[in-house]
Amino acid sequence: MDGLRFPDGFVWGAATSAYQVEGATTEDGRGESVWDIFAAVPGNVENGESGDPGAGHYHRYAEDLDLMADLGLHSYRFSIAWPRIQPSGSGAPNQKGLDFYRRLVAGLAERGIRPMATLFHWDLPQDLQYLGGWENRDTAARFADYASIVFEALEIGDWLTINEPKTVVESGYRFGVHAPGIKDDARAYVACHHLLLAHGLASQALHALRPDARIGPALNLHPTYPADDTPEAREAARHRDGLENRLYLDPIFKGRYPEDTLRWLAERGPIKEHILDGDLAIISEPVDLLGVQYYTPVFVNGAGERVFLHPKAQAEWLEIYPEGLHDLLVRLRDDHPGVPLVVTENGMPALDRPGPDGRVRDDDRITFLRDHLLAMHRAIEEGARVEGYHVWSLLDNYEWAEGYGQRFGIVYVDYPTLRRIPKDSALWYRDVIKNGELR
Ligand code: GBH
Protein backbone atom coordinates (compact mmCIF):
# COMPACT_ATOMS: atom_id res chain seq x y z
CA MET A 1 0.00 0.00 0.00
CA ASP A 2 1.33 3.44 -0.60
CA GLY A 3 0.92 6.64 1.26
CA LEU A 4 -2.32 6.73 3.20
CA ARG A 5 -1.97 10.27 4.55
CA PHE A 6 -3.53 11.65 7.71
CA PRO A 7 -4.74 15.26 7.84
CA ASP A 8 -2.17 17.97 8.48
CA GLY A 9 -1.97 18.70 12.18
CA PHE A 10 -3.22 15.27 13.13
CA VAL A 11 -2.08 14.64 16.70
CA TRP A 12 -0.22 11.42 17.42
CA GLY A 13 0.11 10.39 21.02
CA ALA A 14 0.40 7.72 23.65
CA ALA A 15 -1.41 7.25 26.95
CA THR A 16 -0.78 6.02 30.49
CA SER A 17 -2.47 6.40 33.88
CA ALA A 18 -1.07 7.28 37.28
CA TYR A 19 -1.73 4.12 39.28
CA GLN A 20 -0.61 1.92 36.40
CA VAL A 21 2.77 3.53 35.76
CA GLU A 22 3.91 5.74 38.63
CA GLY A 23 4.70 3.34 41.46
CA ALA A 24 6.04 5.24 44.51
CA THR A 25 2.65 4.85 46.15
CA THR A 26 3.82 5.86 49.61
CA GLU A 27 6.13 8.73 48.64
CA ASP A 28 5.93 12.49 48.97
CA GLY A 29 2.75 12.46 51.02
CA ARG A 30 0.52 10.49 48.67
CA GLY A 31 -2.57 9.19 50.45
CA GLU A 32 -4.01 5.72 49.98
CA SER A 33 -6.25 5.03 47.05
CA VAL A 34 -8.98 2.44 46.69
CA TRP A 35 -6.62 0.45 44.48
CA ASP A 36 -3.96 0.13 47.21
CA ILE A 37 -6.61 -1.35 49.46
CA PHE A 38 -8.23 -3.55 46.81
CA ALA A 39 -4.92 -4.95 45.52
CA ALA A 40 -3.87 -5.93 49.05
CA VAL A 41 -6.77 -8.38 49.40
CA PRO A 42 -5.63 -11.88 48.38
CA GLY A 43 -7.48 -13.11 45.31
CA ASN A 44 -8.35 -9.71 43.89
CA VAL A 45 -5.34 -9.34 41.59
CA GLU A 46 -3.22 -11.92 39.73
CA ASN A 47 -0.27 -12.88 41.97
CA GLY A 48 -1.38 -10.30 44.53
CA GLU A 49 0.33 -7.57 42.49
CA SER A 50 -0.19 -3.86 43.16
CA GLY A 51 0.65 -0.50 41.58
CA ASP A 52 4.17 -0.79 42.97
CA PRO A 53 6.46 -0.69 41.07
CA GLY A 54 4.12 0.21 38.20
CA ALA A 55 6.56 1.20 35.50
CA GLY A 56 8.60 3.16 38.03
CA HIS A 57 7.58 6.31 36.19
CA TYR A 58 7.43 8.57 39.26
CA HIS A 59 11.22 8.44 39.46
CA ARG A 60 11.94 7.81 35.80
CA TYR A 61 9.68 10.44 34.29
CA ALA A 62 12.64 12.38 32.81
CA GLU A 63 13.86 9.30 30.96
CA ASP A 64 10.28 8.67 29.82
CA LEU A 65 10.02 12.22 28.50
CA ASP A 66 13.14 11.63 26.42
CA LEU A 67 11.63 8.41 25.16
CA MET A 68 8.48 10.28 24.08
CA ALA A 69 10.62 12.85 22.29
CA ASP A 70 12.59 10.08 20.55
CA LEU A 71 9.35 8.56 19.32
CA GLY A 72 8.25 11.97 18.05
CA LEU A 73 5.02 12.00 20.05
CA HIS A 74 2.92 15.14 19.66
CA SER A 75 0.76 14.43 22.69
CA TYR A 76 1.09 12.58 25.97
CA ARG A 77 -2.04 11.57 27.82
CA PHE A 78 -1.47 10.85 31.52
CA SER A 79 -3.61 10.97 34.63
CA ILE A 80 -3.22 12.87 37.86
CA ALA A 81 -3.41 10.85 41.07
CA TRP A 82 -6.01 12.54 43.27
CA PRO A 83 -4.40 11.02 46.42
CA ARG A 84 -1.13 12.77 45.58
CA ILE A 85 -2.94 16.13 45.39
CA GLN A 86 -5.35 15.65 48.31
CA PRO A 87 -4.18 12.64 50.33
CA SER A 88 -7.54 12.19 52.03
CA GLY A 89 -9.68 13.55 49.22
CA SER A 90 -10.36 17.07 50.46
CA GLY A 91 -8.64 20.11 51.88
CA ALA A 92 -5.38 21.87 51.16
CA PRO A 93 -3.22 20.53 48.33
CA ASN A 94 -0.06 18.53 48.95
CA GLN A 95 2.59 20.64 47.22
CA LYS A 96 4.95 17.72 46.64
CA GLY A 97 2.23 15.94 44.74
CA LEU A 98 1.52 18.99 42.62
CA ASP A 99 5.25 19.46 42.03
CA PHE A 100 5.56 16.07 40.37
CA TYR A 101 2.99 17.03 37.75
CA ARG A 102 4.49 20.53 37.42
CA ARG A 103 7.83 18.92 36.54
CA LEU A 104 6.16 16.52 34.14
CA VAL A 105 4.22 19.28 32.36
CA ALA A 106 7.32 21.49 32.19
CA GLY A 107 9.28 18.59 30.68
CA LEU A 108 6.60 18.06 28.05
CA ALA A 109 6.62 21.78 27.20
CA GLU A 110 10.43 21.74 26.80
CA ARG A 111 10.07 18.94 24.29
CA GLY A 112 7.13 20.44 22.44
CA ILE A 113 4.75 17.64 23.49
CA ARG A 114 1.15 18.57 24.32
CA PRO A 115 -0.14 17.39 27.67
CA MET A 116 -3.59 15.84 27.94
CA ALA A 117 -4.50 15.17 31.55
CA THR A 118 -7.14 12.84 32.93
CA LEU A 119 -8.46 13.96 36.31
CA PHE A 120 -9.63 10.55 37.48
CA HIS A 121 -8.33 7.21 36.29
CA TRP A 122 -9.83 5.09 39.09
CA ASP A 123 -7.52 5.91 42.02
CA LEU A 124 -10.08 7.43 44.39
CA PRO A 125 -8.65 8.55 47.76
CA GLN A 126 -9.50 5.71 50.15
CA ASP A 127 -10.75 8.15 52.78
CA LEU A 128 -13.55 9.13 50.39
CA GLN A 129 -14.38 5.44 49.94
CA TYR A 130 -14.84 5.18 53.71
CA LEU A 131 -17.47 7.90 53.30
CA GLY A 132 -19.29 5.94 50.58
CA GLY A 133 -17.15 6.60 47.51
CA TRP A 134 -19.13 7.26 44.33
CA GLU A 135 -22.35 6.16 46.04
CA ASN A 136 -22.05 9.34 48.09
CA ARG A 137 -23.24 12.39 46.17
CA ASP A 138 -20.72 14.52 48.05
CA THR A 139 -17.85 12.76 46.24
CA ALA A 140 -18.85 14.61 43.07
CA ALA A 141 -18.46 17.95 44.89
CA ARG A 142 -15.11 16.84 46.33
CA PHE A 143 -14.03 15.93 42.81
CA ALA A 144 -14.85 19.41 41.52
CA ASP A 145 -12.76 20.93 44.33
CA TYR A 146 -9.82 18.69 43.50
CA ALA A 147 -10.22 19.51 39.82
CA SER A 148 -10.17 23.24 40.54
CA ILE A 149 -6.87 22.85 42.41
CA VAL A 150 -5.16 21.22 39.46
CA PHE A 151 -6.79 23.53 36.89
CA GLU A 152 -5.18 26.47 38.69
CA ALA A 153 -1.84 24.81 39.34
CA LEU A 154 -1.03 23.21 35.99
CA GLU A 155 -0.60 24.72 32.52
CA ILE A 156 -2.62 22.20 30.57
CA GLY A 157 -4.91 22.96 27.63
CA ASP A 158 -6.75 19.65 27.24
CA TRP A 159 -8.45 17.86 30.10
CA LEU A 160 -10.44 14.66 30.48
CA THR A 161 -12.74 14.22 33.45
CA ILE A 162 -13.53 10.61 34.33
CA ASN A 163 -11.76 7.74 32.60
CA GLU A 164 -14.35 5.18 31.52
CA PRO A 165 -17.24 5.72 33.92
CA LYS A 166 -18.70 2.48 32.55
CA THR A 167 -15.71 0.49 33.79
CA VAL A 168 -16.02 1.97 37.27
CA VAL A 169 -19.74 1.17 37.28
CA GLU A 170 -19.44 -2.35 35.90
CA SER A 171 -16.04 -3.69 36.98
CA GLY A 172 -15.98 -1.72 40.24
CA TYR A 173 -19.60 -1.88 41.41
CA ARG A 174 -21.47 -4.59 39.45
CA PHE A 175 -18.93 -7.36 39.00
CA GLY A 176 -16.53 -6.47 41.81
CA VAL A 177 -13.40 -7.24 39.79
CA HIS A 178 -11.98 -3.73 40.24
CA ALA A 179 -11.83 -1.47 43.30
CA PRO A 180 -13.93 -0.99 45.34
CA GLY A 181 -14.97 -4.60 44.69
CA ILE A 182 -18.74 -4.24 45.08
CA LYS A 183 -21.22 -6.57 43.38
CA ASP A 184 -24.54 -4.81 43.45
CA ASP A 185 -26.47 -3.46 40.44
CA ALA A 186 -28.56 -1.10 42.54
CA ARG A 187 -25.54 0.55 44.11
CA ALA A 188 -23.68 0.55 40.78
CA TYR A 189 -26.12 2.85 39.04
CA VAL A 190 -26.26 5.28 41.92
CA ALA A 191 -22.48 5.48 41.59
CA CYS A 192 -22.96 5.93 37.84
CA HIS A 193 -25.12 9.01 38.31
CA HIS A 194 -22.62 10.56 40.69
CA LEU A 195 -19.72 9.86 38.31
CA LEU A 196 -21.62 11.70 35.59
CA LEU A 197 -22.41 14.52 38.00
CA ALA A 198 -18.71 14.76 38.88
CA HIS A 199 -17.91 14.99 35.17
CA GLY A 200 -20.35 17.88 34.80
CA LEU A 201 -19.21 19.78 37.89
CA ALA A 202 -15.55 19.57 36.91
CA SER A 203 -16.38 20.70 33.37
CA GLN A 204 -18.24 23.72 34.76
CA ALA A 205 -15.31 24.52 37.03
CA LEU A 206 -12.84 24.51 34.14
CA HIS A 207 -15.08 26.68 32.00
CA ALA A 208 -15.29 29.22 34.83
CA LEU A 209 -11.56 29.19 35.64
CA ARG A 210 -9.93 28.69 32.23
CA PRO A 211 -12.20 29.66 29.36
CA ASP A 212 -9.50 28.85 26.79
CA ALA A 213 -8.91 25.29 27.94
CA ARG A 214 -10.94 22.30 26.78
CA ILE A 215 -12.50 19.44 28.69
CA GLY A 216 -14.53 16.33 28.00
CA PRO A 217 -15.15 12.77 29.14
CA ALA A 218 -13.07 9.71 28.19
CA LEU A 219 -15.61 7.03 27.32
CA ASN A 220 -14.95 3.43 26.49
CA LEU A 221 -17.49 2.89 23.77
CA HIS A 222 -18.45 -0.46 22.33
CA PRO A 223 -20.11 -0.68 18.95
CA THR A 224 -22.82 -3.22 19.59
CA TYR A 225 -24.12 -5.56 16.91
CA PRO A 226 -26.70 -8.35 16.69
CA ALA A 227 -24.82 -11.64 16.31
CA ASP A 228 -27.44 -12.96 13.89
CA ASP A 229 -30.24 -11.62 11.80
CA THR A 230 -33.18 -12.23 14.13
CA PRO A 231 -35.49 -9.66 15.72
CA GLU A 232 -34.46 -11.03 19.15
CA ALA A 233 -30.77 -10.39 18.50
CA ARG A 234 -31.50 -6.93 17.11
CA GLU A 235 -33.54 -6.04 20.18
CA ALA A 236 -30.85 -7.45 22.50
CA ALA A 237 -28.20 -5.39 20.69
CA ARG A 238 -30.25 -2.25 21.11
CA HIS A 239 -30.68 -2.90 24.83
CA ARG A 240 -26.99 -3.59 25.18
CA ASP A 241 -26.14 -0.40 23.27
CA GLY A 242 -28.03 1.47 25.99
CA LEU A 243 -25.86 -0.01 28.73
CA GLU A 244 -22.59 0.24 26.82
CA ASN A 245 -22.92 3.63 25.15
CA ARG A 246 -26.12 5.66 25.43
CA LEU A 247 -26.18 5.58 29.24
CA TYR A 248 -23.08 7.81 29.13
CA LEU A 249 -23.42 9.65 25.81
CA ASP A 250 -27.04 10.77 26.15
CA PRO A 251 -26.90 12.49 29.56
CA ILE A 252 -23.62 14.20 28.61
CA PHE A 253 -24.61 15.31 25.12
CA LYS A 254 -28.39 15.54 25.31
CA GLY A 255 -29.08 16.16 28.98
CA ARG A 256 -31.32 13.13 29.37
CA TYR A 257 -30.95 9.48 30.23
CA PRO A 258 -32.06 7.07 27.49
CA GLU A 259 -35.65 6.05 28.35
CA ASP A 260 -35.27 2.32 27.69
CA THR A 261 -32.08 2.04 29.70
CA LEU A 262 -33.37 4.14 32.59
CA ARG A 263 -36.45 1.92 32.81
CA TRP A 264 -34.21 -1.16 33.03
CA LEU A 265 -32.04 0.48 35.69
CA ALA A 266 -35.03 1.63 37.71
CA GLU A 267 -36.19 -1.99 37.93
CA ARG A 268 -32.90 -2.80 39.62
CA GLY A 269 -32.54 0.00 42.08
CA PRO A 270 -33.22 3.52 43.19
CA ILE A 271 -31.33 5.46 40.52
CA LYS A 272 -34.26 7.80 39.79
CA GLU A 273 -34.39 8.94 43.39
CA HIS A 274 -30.80 10.14 43.08
CA ILE A 275 -31.33 12.22 39.95
CA LEU A 276 -32.15 15.62 41.42
CA ASP A 277 -33.58 18.66 39.67
CA GLY A 278 -30.81 20.42 37.81
CA ASP A 279 -28.43 17.44 37.69
CA LEU A 280 -28.87 16.81 34.00
CA ALA A 281 -28.18 20.46 33.21
CA ILE A 282 -24.87 20.08 35.05
CA ILE A 283 -24.04 16.75 33.39
CA SER A 284 -24.72 18.23 29.94
CA GLU A 285 -22.30 21.13 30.38
CA PRO A 286 -20.94 21.65 26.86
CA VAL A 287 -18.25 19.18 25.86
CA ASP A 288 -15.15 20.62 24.16
CA LEU A 289 -13.70 17.29 23.10
CA LEU A 290 -14.76 13.66 23.41
CA GLY A 291 -12.13 11.10 24.39
CA VAL A 292 -12.96 7.90 22.54
CA GLN A 293 -11.51 4.65 23.88
CA TYR A 294 -11.97 1.70 21.60
CA TYR A 295 -10.82 -1.84 22.16
CA THR A 296 -13.57 -4.24 21.25
CA PRO A 297 -17.06 -4.61 19.81
CA VAL A 298 -19.92 -6.42 21.50
CA PHE A 299 -21.90 -8.92 19.46
CA VAL A 300 -25.00 -10.22 21.24
CA ASN A 301 -27.32 -13.09 20.46
CA GLY A 302 -31.08 -13.27 20.91
CA ALA A 303 -30.68 -14.34 24.53
CA GLY A 304 -28.71 -11.15 25.18
CA GLU A 305 -25.42 -13.00 25.62
CA ARG A 306 -22.16 -11.65 24.30
CA VAL A 307 -20.71 -13.94 21.64
CA PHE A 308 -17.25 -13.83 20.10
CA LEU A 309 -17.05 -14.04 16.32
CA HIS A 310 -13.46 -12.85 15.75
CA PRO A 311 -10.00 -13.67 17.08
CA LYS A 312 -9.06 -12.49 20.54
CA ALA A 313 -5.96 -10.74 21.83
CA GLN A 314 -4.29 -12.03 25.01
CA ALA A 315 -7.30 -10.90 27.08
CA GLU A 316 -10.59 -12.75 27.41
CA TRP A 317 -12.65 -9.65 26.68
CA LEU A 318 -10.74 -8.30 23.70
CA GLU A 319 -12.23 -9.50 20.43
CA ILE A 320 -10.20 -7.93 17.65
CA TYR A 321 -12.44 -6.02 15.23
CA PRO A 322 -10.85 -2.90 13.69
CA GLU A 323 -14.01 -2.18 11.70
CA GLY A 324 -15.65 -1.36 15.04
CA LEU A 325 -13.51 1.77 15.37
CA HIS A 326 -14.70 2.96 11.97
CA ASP A 327 -18.33 2.25 12.83
CA LEU A 328 -18.03 3.96 16.20
CA LEU A 329 -16.46 7.15 14.81
CA VAL A 330 -19.05 7.38 12.04
CA ARG A 331 -21.83 6.90 14.55
CA LEU A 332 -20.45 9.70 16.72
CA ARG A 333 -20.24 11.93 13.63
CA ASP A 334 -23.97 11.37 13.11
CA ASP A 335 -25.29 11.26 16.67
CA HIS A 336 -23.19 14.03 18.20
CA PRO A 337 -22.12 16.24 15.31
CA GLY A 338 -19.59 19.00 15.77
CA VAL A 339 -17.72 17.69 18.78
CA PRO A 340 -14.00 17.13 18.20
CA LEU A 341 -13.10 13.49 18.73
CA VAL A 342 -9.78 12.34 20.13
CA VAL A 343 -9.00 8.66 20.31
CA THR A 344 -7.60 8.53 23.84
CA GLU A 345 -6.96 4.76 24.01
CA ASN A 346 -6.58 1.88 21.56
CA GLY A 347 -4.19 -1.04 21.80
CA MET A 348 -3.76 -4.67 22.74
CA PRO A 349 -1.93 -6.86 25.24
CA ALA A 350 0.56 -9.57 24.43
CA LEU A 351 3.12 -11.76 26.17
CA ASP A 352 6.03 -9.74 24.81
CA ARG A 353 9.59 -10.46 25.81
CA PRO A 354 13.00 -9.60 24.42
CA GLY A 355 14.67 -12.07 22.08
CA PRO A 356 18.30 -13.16 22.52
CA ASP A 357 19.34 -10.04 20.60
CA GLY A 358 17.41 -7.85 23.05
CA ARG A 359 14.83 -6.84 20.46
CA VAL A 360 11.11 -7.14 21.28
CA ARG A 361 9.26 -8.37 18.22
CA ASP A 362 5.57 -7.56 18.57
CA ASP A 363 4.34 -8.00 15.02
CA ASP A 364 0.80 -8.79 16.18
CA ARG A 365 0.59 -5.39 17.81
CA ILE A 366 1.84 -3.66 14.66
CA THR A 367 -0.87 -5.45 12.68
CA PHE A 368 -3.48 -4.51 15.27
CA LEU A 369 -2.48 -0.84 15.31
CA ARG A 370 -2.17 -0.59 11.55
CA ASP A 371 -5.61 -2.12 11.00
CA HIS A 372 -7.17 0.27 13.51
CA LEU A 373 -5.42 3.27 11.96
CA LEU A 374 -6.77 2.22 8.55
CA ALA A 375 -10.28 1.97 9.98
CA MET A 376 -9.91 5.38 11.64
CA HIS A 377 -8.56 6.88 8.42
CA ARG A 378 -11.62 5.69 6.55
CA ALA A 379 -13.90 7.26 9.16
CA ILE A 380 -12.01 10.56 8.85
CA GLU A 381 -12.46 10.49 5.07
CA GLU A 382 -16.16 9.97 5.68
CA GLY A 383 -16.29 13.12 7.76
CA ALA A 384 -15.65 11.99 11.35
CA ARG A 385 -13.92 14.87 13.12
CA VAL A 386 -10.98 12.98 14.62
CA GLU A 387 -8.17 15.26 15.82
CA GLY A 388 -5.78 12.73 17.20
CA TYR A 389 -4.97 9.22 18.33
CA HIS A 390 -3.30 7.84 21.45
CA VAL A 391 -2.01 4.33 21.64
CA TRP A 392 -2.59 2.49 24.91
CA SER A 393 0.01 2.35 26.19
CA LEU A 394 3.34 4.14 26.06
CA LEU A 395 4.78 1.67 28.58
CA ASP A 396 4.04 -1.83 29.79
CA ASN A 397 2.26 -1.30 33.09
CA TYR A 398 -0.02 -2.59 35.84
CA GLU A 399 -3.07 -4.00 34.09
CA TRP A 400 -5.38 -3.76 37.12
CA ALA A 401 -6.78 -7.14 38.19
CA GLU A 402 -4.54 -8.84 35.61
CA GLY A 403 -1.42 -7.50 37.29
CA TYR A 404 1.74 -7.24 35.21
CA GLY A 405 1.09 -10.24 32.96
CA GLN A 406 -0.74 -8.41 30.17
CA ARG A 407 1.69 -6.06 28.44
CA PHE A 408 0.00 -3.25 26.50
CA GLY A 409 3.07 -1.05 25.99
CA ILE A 410 4.80 -0.10 22.77
CA VAL A 411 7.79 0.15 25.09
CA TYR A 412 8.81 -2.93 27.04
CA VAL A 413 9.47 -2.59 30.77
CA ASP A 414 11.78 -5.09 32.42
CA TYR A 415 10.16 -5.01 35.86
CA PRO A 416 13.14 -6.21 37.93
CA THR A 417 15.35 -3.41 36.59
CA LEU A 418 12.67 -1.06 35.20
CA ARG A 419 14.76 -0.77 32.06
CA ARG A 420 12.81 0.37 28.99
CA ILE A 421 13.17 -1.22 25.53
CA PRO A 422 11.16 0.24 22.63
CA LYS A 423 9.38 -2.69 20.99
CA ASP A 424 9.20 -3.06 17.22
CA SER A 425 5.75 -1.42 17.40
CA ALA A 426 7.29 1.72 18.91
CA LEU A 427 9.77 1.96 16.04
CA TRP A 428 6.97 1.40 13.56
CA TYR A 429 4.80 4.06 15.29
CA ARG A 430 7.71 6.51 15.21
CA ASP A 431 7.79 6.15 11.42
CA VAL A 432 4.02 6.62 11.11
CA ILE A 433 4.34 9.85 13.10
CA LYS A 434 7.37 11.07 11.18
CA ASN A 435 5.75 10.42 7.81
CA GLY A 436 2.21 11.41 8.78
CA GLU A 437 1.06 8.44 6.82
CA LEU A 438 0.77 4.67 6.69
CA ARG A 439 3.01 3.12 4.09
C1 GBH B 1 -8.93 0.60 29.65
O1 GBH B 1 -9.94 -0.23 30.10
C2 GBH B 1 -8.36 1.41 30.78
O2 GBH B 1 -8.65 2.78 30.64
C3 GBH B 1 -6.89 1.22 30.99
O3 GBH B 1 -6.55 1.66 32.26
C4 GBH B 1 -6.53 -0.22 30.76
O4 GBH B 1 -5.20 -0.50 31.07
C5 GBH B 1 -6.78 -0.51 29.30
O5 GBH B 1 -8.06 -0.16 28.91
C6 GBH B 1 -6.55 -1.96 28.90
O6 GBH B 1 -7.45 -2.80 29.55
O7 GBH B 1 -12.44 -9.02 33.85
O8 GBH B 1 -13.53 -9.85 31.86
O9 GBH B 1 -14.74 -8.42 33.41
C7 GBH B 1 -10.55 -1.04 29.11
C8 GBH B 1 -11.86 -1.64 29.59
C9 GBH B 1 -12.77 -2.81 31.40
C10 GBH B 1 -11.41 -3.96 29.85
C11 GBH B 1 -12.62 -3.94 32.39
C12 GBH B 1 -11.28 -5.11 30.82
C13 GBH B 1 -12.40 -6.29 32.60
C14 GBH B 1 -12.95 -7.44 31.85
N1 GBH B 1 -11.62 -2.72 30.53
N2 GBH B 1 -12.46 -5.16 31.68
S1 GBH B 1 -13.46 -8.78 32.83
Side-chain angles (χ1 to χ4, degrees):
M1 178 191 340
D2 56 11
L4 203 47
R5 283 206 72 75
F6 283 83
D8 287 342
F10 192 81
V11 175
W12 296 102
T16 63
S17 91
Y19 192 70
Q20 293 178 275
V21 301
E22 287 178 358
T25 57
T26 57
E27 292 182 45
D28 290 343
R30 177 186 177 278
E32 278 179 335
S33 82
V34 292
W35 267 93
D36 300 294
I37 303 300
F38 182 79
V41 177
N44 279 351
V45 178
E46 275 307 298
N47 305 315
E49 290 163 341
S50 77
D52 264 310
H57 171 74
Y58 191 77
H59 293 295
R60 284 171 178 71
Y61 74 93
E63 177 187 346
D64 291 338
L65 286 165
D66 287 340
L67 198 54
M68 295 177 218
D70 287 345
L71 294 180
L73 296 188
H74 304 157
S75 171
Y76 175 51
R77 173 184 177 232
F78 60 96
S79 83
I80 296 170
W82 186 351
R84 290 199 192 279
I85 308 302
Q86 291 177 306
S88 55
S90 60
N94 168 33
Q95 290 302 327
K96 285 188 171 170
L98 278 175
D99 285 344
F100 171 70
Y101 298 105
R102 286 192 183 107
R103 293 194 297 273
L104 180 67
V105 171
L108 289 167
E110 280 164 26
R111 291 164 182 81
I113 301 169
R114 274 163 66 163
M116 174 177 253
T118 311
L119 290 164
F120 178 73
H121 202 124
W122 308 348
D123 43 1
L124 188 77
Q126 177 62 28
D127 282 354
L128 293 184
Q129 191 62 40
Y130 291 133
L131 300 174
W134 291 110
E135 291 172 76
N136 181 350
R137 186 179 170 92
D138 191 52
T139 298
R142 299 279 70 75
F143 179 72
D145 287 351
Y146 147 68
S148 299
I149 292 172
V150 294
F151 293 154
E152 303 224 40
L154 302 174
E155 271 315 316
I156 294 174
D158 286 347
W159 294 89
L160 298 162
T161 53
I162 307 282
N163 182 71
E164 302 191 347
K166 186 187 104 88
T167 302
V168 180
V169 170
E170 296 197 350
S171 296
Y173 284 85
R174 287 188 72 192
F175 309 130
V177 296
H178 282 187
I182 292 164
K183 296 182 191 166
D184 186 323
D185 282 7
R187 295 169 64 185
Y189 290 105
V190 173
C192 179
H193 181 66
H194 295 148
L195 283 157
L196 290 170
L197 189 63
H199 156 81
L201 289 170
S203 301
Q204 289 185 331
L206 183 78
H207 288 151
L209 287 167
R210 297 250 175 164
D212 296 336
R214 306 192 299 173
I215 192 163
L219 302 179
N220 51 326
L221 298 168
H222 298 79
T224 303
Y225 309 90
D228 56 62
D229 193 24
T230 59
E232 292 76 19
R234 281 196 294 275
E235 178 47 34
R238 174 160 174 82
H239 167 72
R240 185 69 178 244
D241 178 57
L243 288 173
E244 299 286 344
N245 305 311
R246 288 180 285 118
L247 176 57
Y248 307 93
L249 289 167
D250 285 12
I252 290 173
F253 284 97
K254 301 178 178 168
R256 56 180 149 79
Y257 279 104
E259 279 303 326
D260 56 328
T261 310
L262 189 60
R263 214 176 310 118
W264 187 89
L265 299 181
E267 284 164 14
R268 274 151 193 83
I271 182 168
K272 282 188 175 165
E273 292 81 326
H274 292 267
I275 305 172
L276 306 188
D277 281 353
D279 284 2
L280 282 155
I282 295 168
I283 293 170
S284 59
E285 173 73 9
V287 168
D288 309 309
L289 59 102
L290 171 60
V292 176
Q293 320 213 143
Y294 175 71
Y295 289 94
T296 198
V298 175
F299 288 88
V300 287
N301 65 19
E305 296 151 349
R306 182 174 182 194
V307 294
F308 293 86
L309 305 178
H310 302 89
K312 285 185 187 181
Q314 187 230 342
E316 268 311 300
W317 54 274
L318 208 167
E319 179 178 8
I320 300 176
Y321 190 62
E323 191 61 22
L325 179 58
H326 164 270
D327 296 353
L328 173 60
L329 294 170
V330 166
R331 173 216 181 137
L332 293 169
R333 173 201 71 186
D334 293 341
D335 288 0
H336 308 289
V339 61
L341 308 175
V342 179
V343 176
T344 41
E345 288 186 26
N346 174 238
M348 63 158 243
L351 290 164
D352 305 306
R353 61 192 155 79
D357 57 356
R359 198 171 133 193
V360 184
R361 293 172 168 77
D362 59 341
D363 296 343
D364 290 351
R365 180 173 291 103
I366 293 175
T367 303
F368 179 101
L369 295 175
R370 164 190 287 279
D371 289 348
H372 284 80
L373 294 184
L374 289 171
M376 177 176 75
H377 187 272
R378 211 148 24 82
I380 294 171
E381 286 194 319
E382 293 167 23
R385 213 176 137 186
V386 187
E387 279 188 6
Y389 174 91
H390 297 75
V391 63
W392 182 272
S393 176
L394 176 68
L395 300 165
D396 286 341
N397 61 53
Y398 179 67
E399 179 56 11
W400 307 111
E402 305 300 329
Y404 293 96
Q406 288 183 355
R407 294 175 176 271
F408 274 83
I410 57 172
V411 174
Y412 181 86
V413 176
D414 176 52
Y415 291 110
T417 61
L418 295 171
R419 196 159 82 87
R420 280 92 165 105
I421 306 173
K423 302 178 190 178
D424 282 3
S425 60
L427 307 177
W428 170 84
Y429 194 49
R430 182 176 63 187
D431 284 343
V432 172
I433 298 172
K434 189 170 64 192
N435 301 326
E437 66 182 31
L438 279 174
R439 296 199 162 145

